[in-house]
Amino acid sequence: MILPWRRAGLGLLLALCMAKSAAHKPSDSYLALTVTGKQVDGQWDIALRDLDMAIGLDADGNGELTWDEVRARHADIAAYALSRLALGVPRADGVAGVAGATAPCPLAVTGQLLDQHSDGAYAVLKLRATCPVNVVTLDADYRLLFDIDPQHKGLLRLAHGALTSTAIFTPDSARQMLQVADAARWRQFVDYVRHGVWHIWIGFDHILFLLSLLLPAVLVRRAGRWQARDSVRASSIEVIKIVTAFTLAHSITLTLATLGMVTLPSRVVESAIALSVVVAALNNLWPLITRRLALLAFAFGLIHGFGFASVLLDLGLPQSSLLLSLVGFNVGVELGQLAIVAVFLPLAYLVRATAFYRKAVLMGGSSLIAVLALVWLSERVLDLKIITA
């Protein structure tokens, strides 16, 4: 017979194992389009690991991609990408035909490069399309990887003159009508808020670090053992301290890194983030810090801010509204955190006094988080790469 708390632990183990495949974040691609009159120029960054999964780039099957293997498949990469993206303009913009229909903007790949993002190597496709009329509204139909990875997201940055807007493509919003000429600043702010919320929700290492600190927030260490806190007020104050410290810290380094005032190597940042998860989880198993968890949240929050910044820099910031977009992204991150806390705190408080919470949730959950984070740490310290010489 499997005890309830052990059954819950097995479920958590399964969930964490599923999360491991992402290591830091699920599959994303970065599409940047610039509209000038009838012409659309663009750059599409697609992870090589995703292209390998989709069309098989690893010719010798040794689990490593070389430049020669990627270069030999340039034509196939271009064909695959173009079959998953279509641009057009509404016929109502001036093209004769049925109202509401779309006139295509034929798209071509004009060059291919490689680039290194925070989560690995990417193919960089240079794009160009010519539309039949000046683009006021762009019809974008994005289908990359949705048939094999429903968690994939396409992150779009659309520029027109000094204005920039963003969009997120998902299987449920694969086709979108994007307004080019009237991308207002408030819209840019809202777009980056959405990106911030999305990133904290898919940033497994950020979430696990925060959860590792929050798990003991409804408990107090007395006589060498964890015991339930006496009131919801005491638990809430502890949670507020932790979340505020984490927020303040990562906001500082997110801003400094995004503005280019402070930079750290991606490998160092990602390794340190994994280490922070290990330390926070192990501290629940062998408590060394029990009354100043907010200080631990602040110290490691400074490192997590660099991780947030790497995603924001990959997405790109419009120079015309740099500060507004930066604030919007940070607000989104905080809203995402608050949503997690709003779900966690009531549930944790209700079961805080049970053996289930102490053994399965706190001890079992922290053990699994520590193991997963150690795997991440090993991968990142060893600097495992997709592209080899």
Side-chain angles (χ1 to χ4, degrees):
M1 177 179 178
I2 301 178
L3 296 176
W5 65 269
R6 289 183 178 174
R7 187 180 299 114
L10 291 174
L12 181 57
L13 175 60
L14 177 60
L16 291 176
C17 288
M18 292 173 64
K20 183 207 176 290
S21 61
H24 179 222
K25 64 189 182 69
S27 165
D28 295 330
S29 82
Y30 302 91
L31 178 61
L33 300 177
T34 300
V35 174
T36 307
K38 298 180 180 180
Q39 186 168 301
V40 181
D41 292 302
Q43 176 176 311
W44 197 359
D45 292 18
I46 307 173
L48 287 181
R49 62 177 180 274
D50 290 337
L51 289 171
D52 185 38
M53 178 174 62
I55 61 175
L57 301 179
D58 188 8
D60 57 14
N62 67 349
E64 298 179 342
L65 293 181
T66 66
W67 166 240
D68 287 337
E69 287 175 324
V70 175
R71 183 172 52 189
R73 301 296 299 279
H74 272 184
D76 297 321
I77 292 172
Y80 175 74
L82 293 179
S83 70
R84 264 63 179 179
L85 178 66
L87 303 179
V89 291
R91 291 186 183 277
D93 283 355
V95 180
V98 180
T102 298
C105 302
L107 192 62
V109 174
T110 60
Q112 293 191 44
L113 303 169
L114 289 176
D115 194 14
Q116 191 75 19
H117 286 235
S118 60
D119 60 333
Y122 279 63
V124 178
L125 281 66
K126 298 294 185 179
L127 306 174
R128 172 161 292 183
T130 302
C131 300
V133 296
N134 287 342
V135 181
V136 176
T137 300
L138 186 66
D139 180 2
D141 189 359
Y142 180 106
R143 305 284 174 177
L144 185 74
L145 293 168
F146 289 159
D147 54 336
I148 58 177
D149 182 4
Q151 300 302 314
H152 174 79
K153 300 292 182 291
L155 306 180
L156 169 69
R157 177 164 52 91
L158 179 64
H160 177 258
L163 296 176
T164 303
S165 60
T166 64
I168 301 176
F169 293 99
T170 68
D172 295 329
S173 58
R175 186 172 183 179
Q176 300 185 38
M177 301 296 288
L178 307 168
Q179 298 300 315
V180 173
D182 60 351
R185 291 181 184 271
W186 71 267
R187 174 71 187 193
Q188 296 178 39
F189 176 81
V190 171
D191 285 342
Y192 277 88
V193 169
R194 290 170 59 233
H195 284 303
V197 172
W198 173 246
H199 179 67
I200 191 65
W201 285 353
I202 66 173
F204 295 116
D205 42 12
H206 302 303
I207 291 176
L208 292 184
F209 174 73
L210 187 59
L211 283 179
S212 294
L213 294 177
L214 292 179
L215 285 175
V218 294
L219 304 173
V220 63
R221 192 78 175 173
R222 295 193 186 106
R225 59 190 298 266
W226 291 110
Q227 301 180 35
R229 286 190 180 273
D230 298 329
S231 67
V232 67
R233 180 176 181 274
S235 299
S236 299
I237 290 175
E238 184 66 15
V239 168
I240 290 172
K241 288 180 179 178
I242 292 170
V243 173
T244 301
F246 184 59
T247 297
L248 178 61
H250 73 62
S251 297
I252 292 172
T253 47
L254 168 63
T255 302
L256 294 177
T258 302
L259 297 179
M261 299 175 67
V262 179
T263 59
L264 288 177
S266 173
R267 179 183 174 187
V268 172
V269 171
E270 296 302 323
S271 298
I273 289 175
L275 178 62
S276 73
V277 182
V278 173
V279 171
L282 292 180
N283 187 64
N284 294 338
L285 302 176
W286 296 282
L288 295 178
I289 302 175
T290 59
R291 298 183 181 278
R292 293 182 176 84
L293 288 176
L295 293 179
L296 187 64
F298 184 87
F300 281 119
L302 294 172
I303 297 296
H304 283 253
F306 288 104
F308 290 131
S310 69
V311 173
L312 187 54
L313 292 172
D314 281 341
L315 179 62
L317 279 171
Q319 295 302 309
S320 60
S321 55
L322 180 65
L323 182 60
L324 190 65
S325 300
L326 175 59
V327 171
F329 184 84
N330 204 42
V331 167
V333 170
E334 311 324 322
L335 291 176
Q337 288 180 176
L338 289 177
I340 294 170
V341 171
V343 173
F344 166 82
L345 182 57
L347 295 177
Y349 185 78
L350 287 175
V351 298
R352 74 194 189 287
T354 64
F356 166 79
Y357 188 81
R358 293 192 304 273
K359 294 181 180 180
V361 179
L362 178 64
M363 306 303 288
S366 296
S367 298
L368 295 173
I369 290 172
V371 170
L372 178 59
L374 282 170
V375 174
W376 287 343
L377 180 60
S378 299
E379 292 176 344
R380 296 172 187 183
V381 168
L382 293 174
D383 194 25
L384 301 177
K385 294 181 180 296
I386 295 176
I387 292 291
T388 59

